[in-house]
Amino acid sequence: MNHVRSDRFNAFLDRDGPAIATTQSGPLSGCTLAVKDLYDVKGFVTGCGNPHKHAHGTPAQNTAPSVQVLLDAGAEFIGKTQTDELAFSLTGENAHFPRPINPAAPDRVTGGSSSGSAAAVAGGLADIATGTDTGGSIRAPASYCGLIGLRVTHGAISLEGTMPLAASFDTFGWFARDMDLYGKVANLLLPVSSTSFQRILRLPELEDLIVGALGKSAFVAALQRIERLVGPASQAALTSVDMEERYWCFRKCQSHEAWQEHGAWVLSGERNLGPGVKERFEYGQSITDQSFAAETQKRTTLTSELEDLVADDGLIIMPTVPGAAPLAADPFESLQDFRERALRLLCLSGLTRLPQLTLPLASVDGAPFGISLMGPRGSDRALIALGRTILQTTKGGTR
């Protein structure tokens, strides 16, 4: 059947829903599903946020298997959502499309690259929406829009039928407004986790990235609420690779992989790439194989240190991003500055491939500010279970 929806948040690529109806029943029956335009959906062109790719693409012959799991569980597909161009951004603005509106804070950005999916769920246009997280594209929009968002253990969910950006960082993700529904999706896609969190940790250098006194106060208040539930957090530090080295390690590794994946296409004609995206690909072109190898070694060292720190029972509590979403009216340079600050927080999970769950536990100036839980590899469903308890128990939670 064909849905006509009021897309007042510029979340979808089309105004009318697709002529597709689910024929399945299951745990997601009655739930609507929006799909980020990086995933193949049978009969639809995967445009990846770039008009040239969409214009020259052909309809997908099959649906991405991970998306198909949700459809087979009874979810009803209602449309493709906006993505930042080639998923190579974090702000949620694509030069080729109207800006998705953040329903939780309309004067602020949604965050990207899963911008349309976050807007659709936060605005009540969809119950579930798929996204991806390479550098933070689930966690940042979830934090900005007051949603639940998990960057899964790398490789835990198939990305077959999905546009790759940087394969060693890319992960499947999804948004939902409540943890019960979030958990239903996790139960379909993720293996059971037996992790029991016994040690609670915090990394003060990450908390130093929070912007402003209000942001710092909001984080401390949320931290104290969590500690009352799970126990006091001990301070810890990462010493093998410092914060600036981690940031540049992420930038260089991601950009190199993105150029290896898309460079030939970028060079093969005029692609009219938007501001920021064009420069990121140019930067990737400049990273030599030798530099990439050196940064990969740093990544291995950092991963070993963080895995030793969390072992099989550690939980890190941290800010997801530096604060509430930036104002959409901020100049490009200010948005870029916030993006780089955010990446210093977001890159830790990406570099080490460990799972990180952001919860809508705080706010700044009336806008959402997510607090994250990071655990050992494979602890994804344990993080969700703990997140459910936190949201149900702490008075500051928004869900």
Side-chain angles (χ1 to χ4, degrees), residues 84 87-92 112 135 137 144 165 247 250-251 254-255 276-277 280 321-322 326 332-346:
D84 289 14
F88 211 173
S89 186
L90 196 63
T91 302
S137 295
Y144 293 167
L165 177 61
Y247 167 76
F250 169 77
R251 285 285 312 276
Q254 181 205 33
S255 298
V277 178
R280 282 171 214 127
V321 287
F332 178 77
E333 292 76 15
S334 295
L335 293 172
Q336 287 293 99
D337 287 346
F338 192 92
R339 175 184 184 272
E340 306 313 312
R341 193 179 186 98
L343 284 174
R344 285 165 169 80
L345 280 165
L346 295 162

Side-chain angles (χ1 to χ4, degrees), residues 370-386:
I371 309 300
S372 277
L373 312 176
M374 182 185 295
R377 190 177 314 280
S379 65
D380 308 66
R381 283 177 62 177
L383 288 173
I384 290 172
L386 178 58

Side-chain angles (χ1 to χ4, degrees), residues 226-260:
I226 297 171
E227 286 182 310
R228 285 196 292 270
L229 181 66
V230 301
S234 302
Q235 294 190 6
L238 297 171
T239 59
S240 63
V241 183
D242 68 33
M243 184 185 294
E244 285 305 297
E245 287 182 297
R246 297 196 297 262
Y247 167 76
W248 285 108
C249 180
F250 169 77
R251 285 285 312 276
K252 291 175 182 179
C253 289
Q254 181 205 33
S255 298
H256 179 82
E257 290 185 15
W259 183 256
Q260 298 305 305

Side-chain angles (χ1 to χ4, degrees), residues 34-207:
V35 176
K36 182 177 182 177
D37 194 31
L38 298 187
Y39 293 101
D40 288 346
V41 174
K42 185 177 180 179
F44 292 79
V45 174
T46 306
C48 309
N50 178 271
H52 188 277
K53 276 192 172 293
H54 188 274
H56 293 83
T58 56
Q61 298 299 303
N62 297 288
T63 297
S66 297
V67 174
Q68 189 65 52
V69 168
L70 306 184
L71 298 176
D72 291 343
E76 184 174 5
F77 171 63
I78 60 168
K80 287 289 199 80
T81 54
Q82 275 209 53
T83 173
D84 289 14
E85 193 169 12
L86 297 171
F88 211 173
S89 186
L90 196 63
T91 302
E93 297 188 348
N94 186 322
H96 307 292
F97 299 94
R99 176 177 71 86
I101 305 300
N102 181 343
D107 58 340
R108 298 176 184 269
V109 301
T110 58
S113 63
S114 306
S115 53
S117 288
V121 173
L125 305 180
D127 298 312
I128 307 162
T130 66
T132 57
D133 192 312
T134 299
S137 295
I138 285 290
R139 292 163 290 159
S143 179
Y144 293 167
C145 297
L147 300 172
I148 300 157
L150 172 70
R151 177 187 165 88
V152 301
T153 298
H154 185 265
I157 300 175
S158 170
L159 284 172
E160 181 184 345
T162 311
M163 185 212 84
L165 177 61
S168 75
F169 294 91
D170 295 343
T171 58
F172 182 97
W174 69 99
F175 301 104
R177 294 185 298 279
D178 70 82
M179 190 57 89
D180 286 342
L181 181 55
Y182 208 89
K184 286 182 180 180
V185 175
N187 292 344
L188 291 165
L189 294 171
L190 287 166
V192 173
S193 171
S194 59
T195 303
S196 176
F197 302 111
Q198 302 296 322
R199 296 177 301 111
I200 313 304
L201 306 166
R202 54 189 291 199
L203 300 173
E205 67 170 347
L206 300 183
E207 298 167 21

